[in-house]
């Protein structure tokens, strides 16, 4: 395994290659369901700098941990051609995919240890944004913070298809938010604040507890559970209202009533430590149950790059920097 600065594509920047070790060993075995943390790596990383992290798997594996909708580029070498983790030239990496595999994160030691976690579903994950453009709203938020001289780390914990209350039927869409919240958000280094926007997949799939039809109170109960987890960990949690959508597969009048009730509770209950009204920022003034056409990626559910920027712009930075 190795890490280096990216020059272009799968090509590494000259002189920047570092071998990654785990417990000072260059190879390691992961049992199913376990994680490993590497030893510290002595390299400096600038804000917004791209890294290439290369892994060599000498044998076939069973099901892999993967991030399906990364909307980034992973470079693959052909099977049977050996270990290319120390290659500087990317010529042996002949195939690409837009998913990420095995690697779950990179921790960077910074002088400011404060971390914001953007926690949600495919909208936070950046579905339908341009590949490799880093145009998700958490990316845009990180740039806003840096430009305002508040270089706080922003971690994107969005997961396409994820639900608040129930596990998604597709394994790559993950356990429920209630189950994954501690691992994916609260246990991250330096986390001080979580911005939560999730629930549209519960609503769109009518996925209530134990297979029952969903109610607004069910979803509000899930939010209360996440708020309690955050507060027990002494982490602030900001509530984001759910975006409008006119997707044929998600929208019905009864589902819209649930979305409206949940948004009203998010705005007015005082249960969150702050509120970001994404719904107000993104809805079409002429058709409030739909996204603004200029923010619609085309599926009437996910924002495009301009919409993602509008979401980031809707966040009062004082909520995050005070």
């Amino acid at each position: 395994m190795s890490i280096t600065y990216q020059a272009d594509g799968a090509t590494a920047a000259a002189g920047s290659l570092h071998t990654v070790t785990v417990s000072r060993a260059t190879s390691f075995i992961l049992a199913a369901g376990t994680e490993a943390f590497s030893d510290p790596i002595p390299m400096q990383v600038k804000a917004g700098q791209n890294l290439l992290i290369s892994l060599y798997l000498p044998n076939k594996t069973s099901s892999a941990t993967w991030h399906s909708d990364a909307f980034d580029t992973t470079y693959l070498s052909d099977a049977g051609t050996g270990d290319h983790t120390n290659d500087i030239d990317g010529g042996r990496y002949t195939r690409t995919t837009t998913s990420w595999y095995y690697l779950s994160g990179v921790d960077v030691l910074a002088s400011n240890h404060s971390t914001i976690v953007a926690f949600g579903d495919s909208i936070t994950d950046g579905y339908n944004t341009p590949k490799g453009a880093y145009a998700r709203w958490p990316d845009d938020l990180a740039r806003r913070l840096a430009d305002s001289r508040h270089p706080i780390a922003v971690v994107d914990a969005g997961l396409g298809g994820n639900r608040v209350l129930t596990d998604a039927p597709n394994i790559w869409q993950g356990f429920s938010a209630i189950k994954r919240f501690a691992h994916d958000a609260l246990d991250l280094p330096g986390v001080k604040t979580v911005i939560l926007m999730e629930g549209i997949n519960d609503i769109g799939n009518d996925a209530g507890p134990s297979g029952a039809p969903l109610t607004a109170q069910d979803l509000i109960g899930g939010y209360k559970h996440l708020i309690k987890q955050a507060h027990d960990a002494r982490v602030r949690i900001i509530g984001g209202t759910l975006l409008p959508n006119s997707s044929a597969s998600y929208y019905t009048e009864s589902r819209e009533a649930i979305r409206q009730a949940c948004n009203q509770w998010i705005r007015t209950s005082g249960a969150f430590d702050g509120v970001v009204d994404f719904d107000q920022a993104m809805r079409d003034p002429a058709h409030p149950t739909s996204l603004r056409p200029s923010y619609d990626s085309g599926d009437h559910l996910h924002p495009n790059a301009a919409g993602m920027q509008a979401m980031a712009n809707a966040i009062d930075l004082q909520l995050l920097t005070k």
Side-chain angles (χ1 to χ4, degrees):
M1 186 173 177
S2 68
I3 184 170
T4 181
Y5 306 130
Q6 182 185 35
D8 182 60
T11 299
S16 67
L17 186 72
H18 290 74
T19 297
V20 177
T21 59
V22 174
S23 297
R24 299 187 179 182
T26 57
S27 64
F28 57 94
I29 298 173
L30 277 181
T34 64
E35 296 178 304
F37 293 85
S38 79
D39 301 317
I41 300 161
M43 64 185 300
Q44 293 186 336
V45 180
K46 298 177 182 178
Q49 186 170 26
N50 283 0
L51 302 173
L52 289 175
I53 299 170
S54 301
L55 301 93
Y56 173 59
L57 307 173
N59 302 307
K60 289 184 178 180
T61 68
S62 56
S63 299
T65 300
W66 67 312
H67 187 130
S68 175
D69 297 325
F71 281 80
D72 205 349
T73 303
T74 293
Y75 303 92
L76 307 173
S77 62
D78 291 330
T81 61
D83 181 357
H84 301 294
T85 57
N86 289 323
D87 289 7
I88 300 300
D89 179 81
R92 290 297 191 104
Y93 293 90
T94 57
R95 294 175 291 133
T96 63
T97 174
T98 56
S99 299
W100 288 331
Y101 302 88
Y102 296 103
L103 183 71
S104 62
V106 177
D107 294 338
V108 179
L109 182 63
S111 56
N112 185 337
H113 295 278
S114 180
T115 300
I116 297 165
V117 179
F119 191 92
D121 47 42
S122 56
I123 295 170
T124 298
D125 200 12
Y127 187 82
N128 263 0
T129 54
K131 183 183 72 174
Y134 309 105
R136 315 168 188 93
W137 72 260
D139 299 316
D140 295 324
L141 174 60
R143 287 186 284 267
R144 279 194 68 206
L145 286 164
D147 290 344
S148 68
R149 298 186 179 181
H150 292 100
I152 303 170
V154 179
V155 174
D156 189 336
L159 180 57
N162 200 229
R163 304 173 183 177
V164 173
L165 299 173
T166 59
D167 300 344
N170 298 318
I171 192 170
W172 59 87
Q173 295 175 331
F175 299 120
S176 70
I178 288 172
K179 290 180 181 177
R180 75 181 183 95
F181 191 52
H183 179 275
D184 291 359
L186 302 180
D187 292 346
L188 296 183
V191 60
K192 302 296 184 190
T193 303
V194 173
I195 303 174
L196 170 70
M197 188 192 66
E198 188 161 351
I200 201 64
N201 290 314
D202 301 71
I203 295 171
N205 290 282
D206 198 15
S210 302
L214 182 73
T215 69
Q217 286 306 311
D218 291 332
L219 197 48
I220 290 168
Y223 294 148
K224 290 179 178 178
H225 199 301
L226 294 172
I227 292 167
K228 184 178 186 304
Q229 285 189 55
H231 287 168
D232 286 349
R234 297 185 178 181
V235 172
R236 297 174 69 247
I237 182 167
I238 309 298
T241 54
L242 301 175
L243 302 192
N245 83 89
S246 53
S247 166
S249 60
Y250 269 31
Y251 180 86
T252 66
E253 289 186 1
S254 60
R255 293 172 182 175
E256 174 63 13
I258 293 174
R259 186 184 74 89
Q260 293 285 1
C262 289
N263 279 353
Q264 182 66 8
W265 182 85
I266 291 168
R267 292 183 183 107
T268 63
S269 68
F272 287 100
D273 298 303
V275 173
V276 179
D277 202 338
F278 290 127
D279 172 39
Q280 184 179 47
M282 298 296 289
R283 64 193 180 208
D284 182 353
H287 304 281
T289 60
S290 300
L291 290 171
R292 289 176 184 257
S294 59
Y295 293 162
D296 191 339
S297 69
D299 65 6
H300 312 310
L301 178 64
H302 298 93
N304 58 18
M308 291 288 180
Q309 184 67 65
M311 290 180 68
N313 292 346
I315 300 170
D316 181 355
L317 297 187
Q318 290 187 3
L319 283 175
L320 310 177
T321 58
K322 65 181 181 181

